[in-house]
Amino acid sequence: MSRVETIGNAVLYNADCRDVLPTLGKVDAVVTDPPYGIGADEAAKKAAEQRKAAQAKPLGQRTKAGRGWADYGETNWDTERPPPEIFGLILEAGKNQIIWGGNYFTDLLPPTMQWLVWDKGQRDFSLADCEFAWSSQQRAARIFNYARAKALLDGKEHPTQKPIALMKWCIEILPKPQTILDPFMGSGTTGIAAVQMGRKFIGIEREPKYFDIAAKRIEQAQRQGDLFIEAAA
């Protein structure tokens, strides 16, 4: 049984997107970051365990193993990619789509002219220097430069959480979308970006833990926006 919460102009579903997407009308845009099927959840957990083990050693014996990693608890959500049927539903759900991790789904998505790149401004790090998004727009490719360290200032609640600024950039380059849909909401970053930009948002998240985190973050963004409007009145 799905759980539904309405927060201002945001409607959030704690459910499997396969059950919800067929019930929705067509939205202006889908902006999402699905699981890539690369075990990012397990990798984060192992790195966090290495960090704890390193910190438990005497001061002179400590290493940098796992430094900067947190234990997010939840695992097994990144064991495999979403099935092809979900990508079909995503393509039907919106007039335009931006799908992060698009390089992992090239066999499931049609060829496109526009690829988006998030350049993290950091080299020779254990993670990727940049990330790619597939875009349905037949327009020039674009690059967003935003330091990984700045992204951490958002308050990281999910191991693959994207920066709010990145999701705002995605919304800005779309043709004036009024309703944004994210069928893999995670910790709610796309919803925060949409709310802060005055757009309507529909979010779907299967994991109850991350649904609760997303609802809290989006509610905070909505409250801050309301306070700003009241102050400006």
Side-chain angles (χ1 to χ4, degrees):
M1 190 72 177
S2 64
R3 171 181 159 203
V4 184
E5 285 196 23
T6 300
I7 303 170
N9 287 329
V11 180
L12 313 180
Y13 294 86
N14 180 197
D16 191 309
C17 65
R18 284 173 289 191
D19 297 326
V20 179
L21 287 173
T23 70
L24 302 176
K26 203 175 190 74
V27 299
D28 298 310
V30 179
V31 180
T32 192
D33 186 27
Y36 304 163
I38 59 174
D41 50 349
E42 285 290 347
K45 190 171 184 64
K46 288 178 181 178
E49 290 171 350
Q50 290 175 347
R51 174 180 57 79
K52 291 178 182 177
Q55 290 176 337
K57 294 180 179 180
L59 191 60
Q61 299 177 22
R62 293 179 185 177
T63 68
K64 295 182 179 180
R67 183 174 294 180
W69 289 91
D71 186 352
Y72 297 94
E74 298 286 344
T75 57
N76 297 320
W77 55 262
D78 195 31
T79 56
E80 58 186 7
R81 303 183 304 170
E85 66 181 280
I86 289 184
F87 288 97
L89 290 171
I90 289 174
L91 294 178
E92 291 176 4
K95 298 175 184 175
N96 290 284
Q97 296 85 18
I98 291 176
I99 302 175
W100 283 95
N103 48 312
Y104 293 100
F105 312 127
T106 53
D107 59 325
L108 302 175
L109 295 167
T112 187
M113 178 177 173
Q114 185 178 70
W115 283 84
L116 306 179
V117 181
W118 168 30
D119 185 337
K120 301 178 182 179
Q122 188 173 3
R123 302 294 181 263
D124 300 321
F125 181 62
S126 59
L127 298 177
D129 293 350
C130 65
E131 295 192 32
F132 299 92
W134 179 94
S135 169
S136 62
Q137 294 191 97
Q138 300 303 316
R139 304 175 68 180
R142 292 286 180 255
I143 298 175
F144 183 73
N145 294 296
Y146 196 78
R148 177 180 167 273
K150 288 178 66 177
L152 296 176
L153 297 177
D154 289 347
K156 194 168 182 182
E157 302 276 4
H158 190 289
T160 62
Q161 182 174 303
K162 295 293 186 289
I164 296 170
L166 176 66
M167 291 314 198
K168 284 185 175 180
W169 176 70
C170 290
I171 294 171
E172 286 171 350
I173 65 175
L174 290 165
K176 298 181 179 180
Q178 295 305 310
T179 302
I180 312 297
L181 166 66
D182 186 349
F184 294 95
M185 182 170 60
S187 57
T189 301
T190 306
I192 293 169
V195 165
Q196 290 183 346
M197 297 174 73
R199 313 300 171 88
K200 294 180 180 179
F201 176 70
I202 302 171
I204 308 170
E205 173 54 42
R206 185 176 63 182
E207 300 293 338
K209 172 186 174 179
Y210 288 122
F211 176 85
D212 290 340
I213 290 171
K216 182 179 179 181
R217 295 179 76 215
I218 291 169
E219 185 175 14
Q220 288 174 342
Q222 183 71 56
R223 189 181 305 119
Q224 289 168 356
D226 291 342
L227 290 173
F228 178 79
I229 293 171
E230 288 177 9

